[in-house]
Amino acid sequence: MNMLRIWGGGIYEHDAFYTICDRLGMLVWQDFMFACAMYPESPQWFVDEVRAEAEYQVRRLPGILVWRCGAATTRTSGCMSAPAGSKRIR
């Protein structure tokens, strides 16, 4: 298996990168861009911005194998979680 990880302190690559990965059969582990810090669950405007970013990126890049919040040093518990009753992004 071949997999590339895009680090959460970097960038979201251009669409061409993901297209080439698809053509070559490369799996992609994509971190959301929330590395090296703990991010708040309030104020609501911030939560809304993060949600909008996540929804946009997931819809834009449907072929990603793994989505992860932040980098390896970020505790998973520090990532915002989906509220109870939330629905999967389609």
Side-chain angles (χ1 to χ4, degrees), residues 3-35:
M3 182 183 303
L4 298 172
R5 178 177 173 216
I6 310 300
W7 177 60
I11 61 169
Y12 294 109
E13 294 291 342
H14 296 281
D15 290 347
F17 169 81
Y18 299 101
T19 299
I20 291 168
C21 287
D22 285 344
R23 281 192 203 137
L24 297 175
M26 297 292 296
L27 302 172
V28 177
W29 167 321
Q30 176 70 58
D31 287 352
F32 287 107
M33 299 297 124
F34 298 103

Side-chain angles (χ1 to χ4, degrees), residues 9-69:
I11 61 169
Y12 294 109
E13 294 291 342
H14 296 281
D15 290 347
F17 169 81
Y18 299 101
T19 299
I20 291 168
C21 287
D22 285 344
R23 281 192 203 137
L24 297 175
M26 297 292 296
L27 302 172
V28 177
W29 167 321
Q30 176 70 58
D31 287 352
F32 287 107
M33 299 297 124
F34 298 103
C36 305
M38 301 300 290
Y39 292 87
E41 294 187 29
S42 63
Q44 189 58 46
W45 65 264
F46 181 77
V47 174
D48 293 343
E49 288 291 321
V50 170
R51 180 175 289 116
E53 175 183 334
E55 289 175 355
Y56 171 77
Q57 294 300 337
V58 169
R59 285 187 182 118
R60 181 177 82 92
L61 305 169
I64 301 298
L65 177 67
V66 176
W67 281 97
R68 186 170 182 284
C69 182

